[in-house]
Every structure is written in C-alpha cells, then in structure tokens.
Amino acid sequence: MNKRYQKILVLYLISTLVPYIFINKNKDISLTKRWLPSSLIGYGIFAYGLKALTKMKKAA
C-alpha cells in the first residue's frame, strides 16, 4: 500500500473514532462490531475516489 494511502487511513480512522467515542457515552463494547467495519468500508470508498480523481487529473 502506498505511504500516502497509509497516512490517509490513519487520519480517516482517527477522524471517525473521535466523534464515535464522544457520542457513545455509555461505553458500549461493541465498538469493533459497528465502528470498525463501517470505517473500513468508508475508507475503501474514499481511497477509490481519491485514486480515480488522481487518474482523471493526470489524464487532463
């Protein structure tokens, strides 16, 4: 995986985890059951879009 995408992954996970922790006041243990899969799917969509936009920019 490209280092750029690794940095984006870390920033994306932090940016989704922090609001989840503040909203989840009752310390629900099912963090990995809901947050992690949805975050990884969201990152996948984001990374694919970033890659597509980069290709379009290079083609123009």
Side-chain angles (χ1 to χ4, degrees), residues 6-56:
Q6 290 174 350
K7 290 176 185 177
I8 291 171
L9 174 62
V10 171
L11 289 172
Y12 184 84
L13 291 176
I14 290 171
S15 69
T16 57
L17 180 64
V18 171
Y20 183 83
I21 290 172
F22 285 124
I23 291 172
N24 190 12
K25 299 281 184 189
N26 52 350
K27 307 295 183 206
D28 189 12
I29 296 180
S30 65
L31 172 73
T32 55
K33 290 182 181 178
R34 283 185 270 154
W35 173 77
L36 188 60
S38 65
S39 292
L40 291 177
I41 290 169
Y43 170 74
I45 293 168
F46 177 77
Y48 178 76
L50 183 64
K51 191 171 189 176
L53 289 174
T54 302
K55 283 184 180 181
M56 286 174 49

